Amino acid sequence: MRTPAPLRLRGATVRLCRHCRACDCAVRETFTRGESEFILGATVRLRDRETRVRLCECRGCHSVQASQLQTKSWLQVERGKLSKFASQSPSSIESLVKVPEPQILPLFKPVDYVEVLAQIHEELELCPLEKKSNLYLLQYHVFKGLGEVKLMRKSLRSAWLKAGTVYEKLVFGAWLKYEKQGEIISDLLSSCGECAKEFGIIDIASEFPTNENLISCGTNTSNGNHFSRIVSFIIGDEKISCDRQKIAGLSVPFHAMLNGCFMESFCDDIDLSENSISPSGMRLIGDFSTTGSLNEVHPNLLLEILVFANKFCCESLKDACDRKLASLVSSRQDAVELMECALEENSLVLAASCLQVFLRELSDSLNDSQVVELLKSADGQKRSIMVGPASFSLYSLLSEVAINDDPCSDKTVLFSKQLVDSAETSLQKMVAYHQLGCIRFLRKEYDEAEQLFKVALNEGHVYSVVGLARLSHIKGRKDWSYEKLSNVISSYTPLGWMYQERSLYCQDDKRWGDLDKATELDPTLTYPYMYRAASLMRKQNVQAALAEINRVLGFKLALECLELRFCFYLTLEEYQSAMCDVQVILTLCPDYRMFDGRVAASQFRTLVREHVENWTTADCWLQLYDRWSLVDDIGSLSVIYQMLESDAAKGVLYFRQSLLLLRLNCPEAAMRSLQLARQHGLSEHERLVYEGWILYDTGHCEEGLRKAEESISLQRSFEAFFLKAYALADSSMDPSSSSTVILLLQEALKCPSDRLRKGQALNNLGSVYVDCGKLDEAADCYINALKIRHTRAHQGLARVHFLRNDKNAAYAEMSKLIEKARNNASAYEKRSEYCDRELTKADLEMVTCLDPLRVYPYRYRAAVLMDNRKEEEAIAELSRAIAFKADLHLLHLRAAFHEHVGDVTGALRDCRAALSFDPDHQEMLELHSRVNSQEP
C-alpha cells in the first residue's frame, strides 16, 4: 500500500491519502440434457444445460507449472442436486480442498540476503564502472527473490544508468521497456523526458569509436625498385584500376602484397577473380581507398565488401561497411538476415544493431523461430561479438522473458543454458544453475535437474536443497529428504521455507509443528495457511478453516488462497461468497486457471452465477457503497467486476478498480486497470486524467501534473482537480503550495461526483487543514466525510482530537473505525498512538497478527526493549522481521542498535544493505560514514 505523498509547508508535512482515488490450451465444452455428472465433490445446479470441461493435459499450459499437472477424469457437473456439506463423502471433500505442494521457486534466495546485499554494495563502492551493471543485476536477483518489485526495477534502472558499455545500455534499456510493457504503458511513457532515453533507440554507431587504422606507407619500394602508381585488379573479364598506394594503405596484407617481395608487388595486373568480389565491389573499394567513405551502396554489395574487407584485414573498410549496414537495419527481418553475417564477419556495430531490434520487440521477437535460433545457438565467441561482456545480463533477460511466457518450453531451457555458460562469478552461478534446475524439474527431466541443483548448492545456494529433497522424495527416499532439511535447519539460521519444506516429508502431527514454525519465522508463506485450512475443512471444522485462510488473505491477496477459499464456499454452498472470490481472482488475473491449471476460472464463474441473485445497476452501486464504507476491499473489487458487465461507463469503474488494487498492494493489476480506464474513457479530458495517474504511478509527477492541467483546460472535472492537487502535493517543495492544494480540492468538491470520491476529497482537504494548523476547518471536513460514509475519516478526526489534547476522544474515534472497517490493521496501529504503553503493546500485537508485513510494531517493540536495556532481545525482534520483510527502516534501526552495543561489523553490514534500498538516504549515509570510520 502506497505511503501518501508528502507536501512540505511551514515546517509541517501534508500527506494526502489517495487510496480511494476512486491457456492457450483447448477447453472442450459439451452441453447435454438430462445427464448428471459430478464436479470435484461439490455439485452445482444448472438451469437448462450441462457444462462439461475436459481437463487440460498439455504440459505447456502457461498458467501452471507442468510438474503440478495431474491428468484426471472429466470434471463433472450434476444438475438439480445440491448436496449439503455434511453429506459430502470424505473423498469428495478431499479432492475439492486438496492443496498442491509449494513450488520450487526459480529465484535467487540466499540464506542471509542482508549479507549478500551488503557484499554487493561494498563491491559497488570499490569496483570500476564497467563492473557496476553486473553487480546491480545481482542486486536485482536478490530483490526478485524477496518479491520486492519496486526495488527490482530500481536496481534495473541503476544498472542502465551505470552501464559502462553500449551492450549494457541495450540490455537494461530493453529490460526496463519490457517491464513497462508488462504494464502496457510504454507507449505513453516513451514520450516523456527521461523515459524517452530509456526506451529510445540508441545510435549504436556513435557508441563505437571510429576505426581510423589507415596504414600510411608512402611509396616504399623493395630492393630499390619503383612500383607503378596504378595497379589493375582483374575480376572475370573486367579490369579495375586503382591507386597502388591507396589500396596498400587499406591493410597490412595489401601493403605487403603491393609493396613487398611478392610476385604481385612487381605486377601491374593482379587477378582477384577467386576472392569473392565483384567488379562493382572492387570499384567501390578503389573509391573508398581514395575518399575514405562509402556513399549509396546496395546492401548486397556492402555484404560482399564486408566479407572481402574481413578477409584482407581492411579494418577501416570493414568499419565503414559495418556502420553502413547497421544503419540499414530497420525491421526484425533485416536483423535476422544480417545478424548471421555480423557474427560470421565479427561486425560489432552491425551485431549490436540487430540485437537492438530483437530486444526492442520483446517478447514478440522470441516467438520468431529465426530469432530464437540465432540467440540460443551462439557460442562464446559469437556471444562476445553480439553482446560483448554483457552475456550474463542478456541471457538473464531472455530467460526471464521465456519463463514468463512458458517455463517449460525448449527456448526457456536453451536460454537458461546460455545463462549457465555465461556465468562467471559464484553468485552468477548460483542464479543460473538453480534456475535451470527448476526448469528441468518442471519438465520432469529429473536427472539433469539433480545435477544442476547440486552445482548450485555446492556454490552456496542453500535453497537449492529444496529441489534435491523433492527429487529424492520422487525416487522414494523420503527419509533422506527429511534428514537433509534437518541438517540445513541445524547448520544455518532457520528460515520459514526450511520448515515448510521439511513438513512435506513427515507425518501429520509433526507436519503441523513444522508448518506452525514456518509461519512463525515467515508469515508470508501461503502454503502453511492453506494446508492447515484444508485439513480443518476435511475435519468439517468450517469456521476454523475459514478463519485460517482469512488470516493470510487479510494481508496478502494470493490467488492460490482465494482459489482455496472459493472451494470452501462452493462446498458450503455459499454461492454469493464463492462468486465474490472468483470475481476477485478474475480481476487480478483474467486468464487464471484453477485446479492445477485445468479449468478456467471464468468457467467456474459461469457455473456459480446460476445460483446467485442478479443485481441491477442500482443494486450494484448500493453494494459498492456498503463495501467501500466497511473498508471491504475484496468485496468492493468483486462488485466492480460485476458492474463492468453492464453498460455503465467502464472508464470510471476501471479507475475505481485500480484504486482498490493499489490499496491491496497489487500494483501490476492496478496499472492494467488504469490502462483499461484510459482505453474506455468516454472523452479526451477523462482519458487525460487516467494518463496523468499512469504517469504519476510510474514516478513522473511533473508529467502527471501537466496531464491534469491539460484536462482542466478542456473541461473542469472532479478527477482532474483531484489529480492536480495530489500531483502538486508530491512534486512541489514550495510551502505556499498548500494554499493552492486547498483551492484545488475545493474546486474538485464543486464539480459533480459521487459520494465515494467526495468523501476522499473531504478527507484529503482535512489533512491539509490539519497540517496548516486549521483544526476547526479540518474537523468540519472529516465530519462531512463521515456523513457520506467515508469511514476512514475517523482517523483524521482522531488526529484532530489528539492535537486538541483530547487523547481519550482520539482513542474512541479510532475504536469506531476498528469496529466498522473490515480491514483494520492500520486502524489498530494508529490507535496505538493514543493510549498508554500496555494498550499500545496490545494494539501493536494485534497489528502484527492481522498484518505481519507492517514494520512499525516491530520497531516500537524493539525500541521499548532497548530502552529497558534488553539489547539482545531488541536486535532479535528486528531480526525476526528482517528475515521475511526487506525494509530500510528496520535495517536502519538494527544498524543503530549494533553500533550502540559496539558491533561495528554488524552495523556496517546493515548500513550497506540498507543503502541498497536507497543509496541517497541521508540518515543512513551519516550512520554508514560514522560506523565506517570505526572499522578496524
mmCIF file of all heavy atoms in Angstrom, residues 678-712:
data_model
loop_
_atom_site.group_PDB
_atom_site.id
_atom_site.type_symbol
_atom_site.label_atom_id
_atom_site.label_comp_id
_atom_site.label_asym_id
_atom_site.label_seq_id
_atom_site.Cartn_x
_atom_site.Cartn_y
_atom_site.Cartn_z
ATOM 1 N N ARG A 678 -8.142 4.178 -19.221
ATOM 2 C CA ARG A 678 -7.759 5.089 -20.311
ATOM 3 C C ARG A 678 -8.376 4.645 -21.637
ATOM 4 O O ARG A 678 -8.868 5.445 -22.428
ATOM 5 C CB ARG A 678 -6.230 5.100 -20.413
ATOM 6 C CG ARG A 678 -5.678 5.936 -21.571
ATOM 7 C CD ARG A 678 -4.207 5.608 -21.766
ATOM 8 N NE ARG A 678 -3.623 6.319 -22.869
ATOM 9 C CZ ARG A 678 -2.621 5.856 -23.600
ATOM 10 N NH1 ARG A 678 -2.118 4.664 -23.335
ATOM 11 N NH2 ARG A 678 -2.119 6.562 -24.588
ATOM 12 N N GLN A 679 -8.355 3.339 -21.866
ATOM 13 C CA GLN A 679 -8.884 2.790 -23.121
ATOM 14 C C GLN A 679 -10.383 3.012 -23.251
ATOM 15 O O GLN A 679 -10.901 3.235 -24.346
ATOM 16 C CB GLN A 679 -8.562 1.296 -23.177
ATOM 17 C CG GLN A 679 -9.060 0.572 -24.417
ATOM 18 C CD GLN A 679 -8.720 -0.910 -24.347
ATOM 19 O OE1 GLN A 679 -7.703 -1.305 -23.771
ATOM 20 N NE2 GLN A 679 -9.573 -1.733 -24.915
ATOM 21 N N HIS A 680 -11.104 2.958 -22.112
ATOM 22 C CA HIS A 680 -12.561 3.065 -22.141
ATOM 23 C C HIS A 680 -13.061 4.457 -21.757
ATOM 24 O O HIS A 680 -14.274 4.645 -21.582
ATOM 25 C CB HIS A 680 -13.185 2.034 -21.196
ATOM 26 C CG HIS A 680 -13.072 0.624 -21.700
ATOM 27 N ND1 HIS A 680 -11.992 -0.179 -21.419
ATOM 28 C CD2 HIS A 680 -13.900 -0.119 -22.489
ATOM 29 C CE1 HIS A 680 -12.159 -1.364 -21.989
ATOM 30 N NE2 HIS A 680 -13.300 -1.355 -22.642
ATOM 31 N N GLY A 681 -12.146 5.410 -21.604
ATOM 32 C CA GLY A 681 -12.585 6.769 -21.295
ATOM 33 C C GLY A 681 -13.516 7.305 -22.374
ATOM 34 O O GLY A 681 -13.280 7.120 -23.574
ATOM 35 N N LEU A 682 -14.578 7.990 -21.942
ATOM 36 C CA LEU A 682 -15.592 8.446 -22.899
ATOM 37 C C LEU A 682 -15.242 9.775 -23.551
ATOM 38 O O LEU A 682 -15.868 10.174 -24.522
ATOM 39 C CB LEU A 682 -16.945 8.573 -22.186
ATOM 40 C CG LEU A 682 -17.517 7.269 -21.605
ATOM 41 C CD1 LEU A 682 -18.822 7.556 -20.874
ATOM 42 C CD2 LEU A 682 -17.737 6.246 -22.721
ATOM 43 N N SER A 683 -14.255 10.472 -23.003
ATOM 44 C CA SER A 683 -13.908 11.778 -23.554
ATOM 45 C C SER A 683 -12.408 11.995 -23.423
ATOM 46 O O SER A 683 -11.721 11.294 -22.679
ATOM 47 C CB SER A 683 -14.656 12.892 -22.808
ATOM 48 O OG SER A 683 -14.261 12.909 -21.439
ATOM 49 N N GLU A 684 -11.901 12.975 -24.143
ATOM 50 C CA GLU A 684 -10.473 13.270 -24.108
ATOM 51 C C GLU A 684 -10.045 13.745 -22.725
ATOM 52 O O GLU A 684 -8.988 13.347 -22.221
ATOM 53 C CB GLU A 684 -10.136 14.331 -25.157
ATOM 54 C CG GLU A 684 -8.677 14.726 -25.210
ATOM 55 C CD GLU A 684 -7.762 13.584 -25.629
ATOM 56 O OE1 GLU A 684 -8.262 12.570 -26.171
ATOM 57 O OE2 GLU A 684 -6.546 13.688 -25.381
ATOM 58 N N HIS A 685 -10.864 14.609 -22.098
ATOM 59 C CA HIS A 685 -10.466 15.115 -20.781
ATOM 60 C C HIS A 685 -10.437 14.000 -19.743
ATOM 61 O O HIS A 685 -9.601 14.007 -18.828
ATOM 62 C CB HIS A 685 -11.382 16.259 -20.334
ATOM 63 C CG HIS A 685 -12.755 15.839 -19.905
ATOM 64 N ND1 HIS A 685 -13.031 15.410 -18.631
ATOM 65 C CD2 HIS A 685 -13.929 15.777 -20.597
ATOM 66 C CE1 HIS A 685 -14.320 15.105 -18.541
ATOM 67 N NE2 HIS A 685 -14.886 15.327 -19.717
ATOM 68 N N GLU A 686 -11.323 13.007 -19.874
ATOM 69 C CA GLU A 686 -11.304 11.873 -18.953
ATOM 70 C C GLU A 686 -10.064 11.018 -19.182
ATOM 71 O O GLU A 686 -9.383 10.619 -18.230
ATOM 72 C CB GLU A 686 -12.566 11.019 -19.142
ATOM 73 C CG GLU A 686 -12.650 9.854 -18.173
ATOM 74 C CD GLU A 686 -13.853 8.957 -18.424
ATOM 75 O OE1 GLU A 686 -14.745 9.338 -19.215
ATOM 76 O OE2 GLU A 686 -13.888 7.861 -17.838
ATOM 77 N N ARG A 687 -9.730 10.762 -20.441
ATOM 78 C CA ARG A 687 -8.545 9.960 -20.747
ATOM 79 C C ARG A 687 -7.272 10.644 -20.253
ATOM 80 O O ARG A 687 -6.337 9.984 -19.791
ATOM 81 C CB ARG A 687 -8.458 9.693 -22.253
ATOM 82 C CG ARG A 687 -9.437 8.616 -22.731
ATOM 83 C CD ARG A 687 -9.159 8.208 -24.155
ATOM 84 N NE ARG A 687 -9.463 9.277 -25.097
ATOM 85 C CZ ARG A 687 -10.653 9.467 -25.648
ATOM 86 N NH1 ARG A 687 -11.667 8.663 -25.344
ATOM 87 N NH2 ARG A 687 -10.850 10.441 -26.514
ATOM 88 N N LEU A 688 -7.232 11.957 -20.348
ATOM 89 C CA LEU A 688 -6.052 12.690 -19.868
ATOM 90 C C LEU A 688 -5.841 12.491 -18.367
ATOM 91 O O LEU A 688 -4.699 12.407 -17.890
ATOM 92 C CB LEU A 688 -6.196 14.179 -20.192
ATOM 93 C CG LEU A 688 -5.973 14.566 -21.657
ATOM 94 C CD1 LEU A 688 -6.444 15.999 -21.893
ATOM 95 C CD2 LEU A 688 -4.507 14.410 -22.041
ATOM 96 N N VAL A 689 -6.930 12.434 -17.617
ATOM 97 C CA VAL A 689 -6.816 12.188 -16.175
ATOM 98 C C VAL A 689 -6.180 10.827 -15.915
ATOM 99 O O VAL A 689 -5.259 10.690 -15.102
ATOM 100 C CB VAL A 689 -8.196 12.282 -15.492
ATOM 101 C CG1 VAL A 689 -8.108 11.777 -14.047
ATOM 102 C CG2 VAL A 689 -8.701 13.707 -15.512
ATOM 103 N N TYR A 690 -6.652 9.809 -16.619
ATOM 104 C CA TYR A 690 -6.102 8.473 -16.412
ATOM 105 C C TYR A 690 -4.642 8.404 -16.854
ATOM 106 O O TYR A 690 -3.817 7.734 -16.212
ATOM 107 C CB TYR A 690 -6.943 7.439 -17.164
ATOM 108 C CG TYR A 690 -8.406 7.452 -16.768
ATOM 109 C CD1 TYR A 690 -9.415 7.207 -17.697
ATOM 110 C CD2 TYR A 690 -8.789 7.731 -15.455
ATOM 111 C CE1 TYR A 690 -10.751 7.234 -17.336
ATOM 112 C CE2 TYR A 690 -10.119 7.761 -15.085
ATOM 113 C CZ TYR A 690 -11.101 7.518 -16.033
ATOM 114 O OH TYR A 690 -12.423 7.552 -15.675
ATOM 115 N N GLU A 691 -4.312 9.099 -17.914
ATOM 116 C CA GLU A 691 -2.914 9.152 -18.337
ATOM 117 C C GLU A 691 -2.061 9.836 -17.263
ATOM 118 O O GLU A 691 -0.919 9.433 -17.014
ATOM 119 C CB GLU A 691 -2.789 9.905 -19.667
ATOM 120 C CG GLU A 691 -3.343 9.126 -20.847
ATOM 121 C CD GLU A 691 -3.257 9.903 -22.149
ATOM 122 O OE1 GLU A 691 -2.732 11.038 -22.132
ATOM 123 O OE2 GLU A 691 -3.704 9.386 -23.184
ATOM 124 N N GLY A 692 -2.641 10.866 -16.645
ATOM 125 C CA GLY A 692 -1.923 11.542 -15.564
ATOM 126 C C GLY A 692 -1.623 10.612 -14.417
ATOM 127 O O GLY A 692 -0.515 10.626 -13.862
ATOM 128 N N TRP A 693 -2.600 9.789 -14.034
ATOM 129 C CA TRP A 693 -2.364 8.846 -12.935
ATOM 130 C C TRP A 693 -1.349 7.780 -13.341
ATOM 131 O O TRP A 693 -0.542 7.318 -12.519
ATOM 132 C CB TRP A 693 -3.673 8.189 -12.501
ATOM 133 C CG TRP A 693 -4.524 9.061 -11.637
ATOM 134 C CD1 TRP A 693 -5.778 9.520 -11.902
ATOM 135 C CD2 TRP A 693 -4.172 9.599 -10.358
ATOM 136 N NE1 TRP A 693 -6.234 10.304 -10.866
ATOM 137 C CE2 TRP A 693 -5.271 10.367 -9.905
ATOM 138 C CE3 TRP A 693 -3.044 9.517 -9.559
ATOM 139 C CZ2 TRP A 693 -5.259 11.039 -8.690
ATOM 140 C CZ3 TRP A 693 -3.031 10.183 -8.339
ATOM 141 C CH2 TRP A 693 -4.128 10.932 -7.919
ATOM 142 N N ILE A 694 -1.392 7.344 -14.605
ATOM 143 C CA ILE A 694 -0.402 6.373 -15.078
ATOM 144 C C ILE A 694 1.004 6.945 -14.934
ATOM 145 O O ILE A 694 1.920 6.287 -14.431
ATOM 146 C CB ILE A 694 -0.682 5.983 -16.545
ATOM 147 C CG1 ILE A 694 -1.958 5.128 -16.639
ATOM 148 C CG2 ILE A 694 0.502 5.220 -17.145
ATOM 149 C CD1 ILE A 694 -2.421 4.859 -18.056
ATOM 150 N N LEU A 695 1.159 8.188 -15.361
ATOM 151 C CA LEU A 695 2.464 8.829 -15.257
ATOM 152 C C LEU A 695 2.874 9.010 -13.795
ATOM 153 O O LEU A 695 4.015 8.747 -13.415
ATOM 154 C CB LEU A 695 2.434 10.176 -15.979
ATOM 155 C CG LEU A 695 2.339 10.084 -17.501
ATOM 156 C CD1 LEU A 695 1.966 11.432 -18.097
ATOM 157 C CD2 LEU A 695 3.656 9.597 -18.075
ATOM 158 N N TYR A 696 1.929 9.439 -12.985
ATOM 159 C CA TYR A 696 2.231 9.633 -11.563
ATOM 160 C C TYR A 696 2.663 8.315 -10.920
ATOM 161 O O TYR A 696 3.641 8.270 -10.166
ATOM 162 C CB TYR A 696 1.016 10.196 -10.835
ATOM 163 C CG TYR A 696 1.263 10.378 -9.360
ATOM 164 C CD1 TYR A 696 1.846 11.536 -8.873
ATOM 165 C CD2 TYR A 696 0.965 9.355 -8.461
ATOM 166 C CE1 TYR A 696 2.120 11.689 -7.518
ATOM 167 C CE2 TYR A 696 1.229 9.496 -7.114
ATOM 168 C CZ TYR A 696 1.801 10.667 -6.644
ATOM 169 O OH TYR A 696 2.081 10.795 -5.314
ATOM 170 N N ASP A 697 1.934 7.250 -11.208
ATOM 171 C CA ASP A 697 2.226 5.968 -10.574
ATOM 172 C C ASP A 697 3.559 5.380 -11.014
ATOM 173 O O ASP A 697 4.079 4.467 -10.368
ATOM 174 C CB ASP A 697 1.110 4.961 -10.881
ATOM 175 C CG ASP A 697 -0.111 5.189 -10.018
ATOM 176 O OD1 ASP A 697 -0.021 5.985 -9.073
ATOM 177 O OD2 ASP A 697 -1.155 4.580 -10.296
ATOM 178 N N THR A 698 4.106 5.864 -12.121
ATOM 179 C CA THR A 698 5.405 5.372 -12.568
ATOM 180 C C THR A 698 6.512 6.370 -12.256
ATOM 181 O O THR A 698 7.594 6.314 -12.831
ATOM 182 C CB THR A 698 5.377 5.071 -14.077
ATOM 183 O OG1 THR A 698 4.840 6.200 -14.783
ATOM 184 C CG2 THR A 698 4.525 3.864 -14.368
ATOM 185 N N GLY A 699 6.233 7.298 -11.335
ATOM 186 C CA GLY A 699 7.259 8.190 -10.839
ATOM 187 C C GLY A 699 7.447 9.472 -11.612
ATOM 188 O O GLY A 699 8.455 10.153 -11.450
ATOM 189 N N HIS A 700 6.482 9.829 -12.433
ATOM 190 C CA HIS A 700 6.616 11.028 -13.265
ATOM 191 C C HIS A 700 5.556 12.047 -12.840
ATOM 192 O O HIS A 700 4.554 12.271 -13.517
ATOM 193 C CB HIS A 700 6.476 10.659 -14.736
ATOM 194 C CG HIS A 700 7.501 9.661 -15.180
ATOM 195 N ND1 HIS A 700 8.760 10.007 -15.586
ATOM 196 C CD2 HIS A 700 7.458 8.309 -15.211
ATOM 197 C CE1 HIS A 700 9.442 8.921 -15.881
ATOM 198 N NE2 HIS A 700 8.678 7.885 -15.653
ATOM 199 N N CYS A 701 5.821 12.665 -11.683
ATOM 200 C CA CYS A 701 4.841 13.581 -11.083
ATOM 201 C C CYS A 701 4.605 14.807 -11.956
ATOM 202 O O CYS A 701 3.459 15.237 -12.133
ATOM 203 C CB CYS A 701 5.319 14.009 -9.695
ATOM 204 S SG CYS A 701 5.521 12.639 -8.545
ATOM 205 N N GLU A 702 5.675 15.399 -12.454
ATOM 206 C CA GLU A 702 5.529 16.622 -13.252
ATOM 207 C C GLU A 702 4.702 16.363 -14.494
ATOM 208 O O GLU A 702 3.829 17.165 -14.865
ATOM 209 C CB GLU A 702 6.921 17.153 -13.642
ATOM 210 C CG GLU A 702 7.757 17.638 -12.471
ATOM 211 C CD GLU A 702 7.190 18.909 -11.851
ATOM 212 O OE1 GLU A 702 6.352 19.573 -12.496
ATOM 213 O OE2 GLU A 702 7.568 19.229 -10.712
ATOM 214 N N GLU A 703 4.958 15.238 -15.152
ATOM 215 C CA GLU A 703 4.192 14.909 -16.358
ATOM 216 C C GLU A 703 2.728 14.648 -16.007
ATOM 217 O O GLU A 703 1.816 15.026 -16.746
ATOM 218 C CB GLU A 703 4.799 13.691 -17.052
ATOM 219 C CG GLU A 703 6.144 13.935 -17.704
ATOM 220 C CD GLU A 703 7.309 13.871 -16.712
ATOM 221 O OE1 GLU A 703 7.054 13.661 -15.504
ATOM 222 O OE2 GLU A 703 8.454 14.043 -17.146
ATOM 223 N N GLY A 704 2.492 13.989 -14.856
ATOM 224 C CA GLY A 704 1.122 13.761 -14.411
ATOM 225 C C GLY A 704 0.405 15.062 -14.125
ATOM 226 O O GLY A 704 -0.784 15.216 -14.443
ATOM 227 N N LEU A 705 1.126 16.012 -13.540
ATOM 228 C CA LEU A 705 0.558 17.330 -13.257
ATOM 229 C C LEU A 705 0.155 18.040 -14.547
ATOM 230 O O LEU A 705 -0.924 18.648 -14.632
ATOM 231 C CB LEU A 705 1.575 18.161 -12.479
ATOM 232 C CG LEU A 705 1.142 19.537 -11.974
ATOM 233 C CD1 LEU A 705 -0.047 19.418 -11.037
ATOM 234 C CD2 LEU A 705 2.299 20.229 -11.261
ATOM 235 N N ARG A 706 1.003 17.932 -15.568
ATOM 236 C CA ARG A 706 0.687 18.573 -16.849
ATOM 237 C C ARG A 706 -0.550 17.960 -17.492
ATOM 238 O O ARG A 706 -1.360 18.659 -18.106
ATOM 239 C CB ARG A 706 1.885 18.480 -17.794
ATOM 240 C CG ARG A 706 3.018 19.425 -17.419
ATOM 241 C CD ARG A 706 3.956 19.642 -18.591
ATOM 242 N NE ARG A 706 4.721 18.446 -18.899
ATOM 243 C CZ ARG A 706 5.900 18.153 -18.348
ATOM 244 N NH1 ARG A 706 6.432 18.963 -17.440
ATOM 245 N NH2 ARG A 706 6.547 17.063 -18.699
ATOM 246 N N LYS A 707 -0.713 16.638 -17.349
ATOM 247 C CA LYS A 707 -1.911 15.989 -17.894
ATOM 248 C C LYS A 707 -3.164 16.508 -17.185
ATOM 249 O O LYS A 707 -4.202 16.721 -17.824
ATOM 250 C CB LYS A 707 -1.806 14.474 -17.723
ATOM 251 C CG LYS A 707 -0.785 13.805 -18.622
ATOM 252 C CD LYS A 707 -1.225 13.764 -20.067
ATOM 253 C CE LYS A 707 -0.222 13.015 -20.930
ATOM 254 N NZ LYS A 707 -0.626 12.992 -22.356
ATOM 255 N N ALA A 708 -3.074 16.721 -15.870
ATOM 256 C CA ALA A 708 -4.222 17.246 -15.127
ATOM 257 C C ALA A 708 -4.586 18.637 -15.619
ATOM 258 O O ALA A 708 -5.771 18.954 -15.829
ATOM 259 C CB ALA A 708 -3.896 17.278 -13.631
ATOM 260 N N GLU A 709 -3.576 19.470 -15.819
ATOM 261 C CA GLU A 709 -3.831 20.842 -16.292
ATOM 262 C C GLU A 709 -4.431 20.832 -17.691
ATOM 263 O O GLU A 709 -5.325 21.626 -18.014
ATOM 264 C CB GLU A 709 -2.528 21.638 -16.270
ATOM 265 C CG GLU A 709 -2.026 21.914 -14.846
ATOM 266 C CD GLU A 709 -0.614 22.455 -14.818
ATOM 267 O OE1 GLU A 709 0.083 22.361 -15.869
ATOM 268 O OE2 GLU A 709 -0.188 22.957 -13.758
ATOM 269 N N GLU A 710 -3.938 19.925 -18.522
ATOM 270 C CA GLU A 710 -4.478 19.818 -19.880
ATOM 271 C C GLU A 710 -5.942 19.383 -19.841
ATOM 272 O O GLU A 710 -6.772 19.886 -20.612
ATOM 273 C CB GLU A 710 -3.645 18.817 -20.682
ATOM 274 C CG GLU A 710 -3.945 18.807 -22.173
ATOM 275 C CD GLU A 710 -3.043 17.850 -22.939
ATOM 276 O OE1 GLU A 710 -2.025 17.386 -22.369
ATOM 277 O OE2 GLU A 710 -3.377 17.548 -24.099
ATOM 278 N N SER A 711 -6.256 18.464 -18.944
ATOM 279 C CA SER A 711 -7.639 18.009 -18.815
ATOM 280 C C SER A 711 -8.548 19.144 -18.346
ATOM 281 O O SER A 711 -9.649 19.332 -18.867
ATOM 282 C CB SER A 711 -7.708 16.838 -17.827
ATOM 283 O OG SER A 711 -9.030 16.407 -17.630
ATOM 284 N N ILE A 712 -8.080 19.927 -17.359
ATOM 285 C CA ILE A 712 -8.875 21.044 -16.838
ATOM 286 C C ILE A 712 -9.115 22.089 -17.924
ATOM 287 O O ILE A 712 -10.191 22.693 -18.002
ATOM 288 C CB ILE A 712 -8.174 21.667 -15.616
ATOM 289 C CG1 ILE A 712 -8.202 20.679 -14.435
ATOM 290 C CG2 ILE A 712 -8.831 22.986 -15.205
ATOM 291 C CD1 ILE A 712 -7.331 21.097 -13.270
#
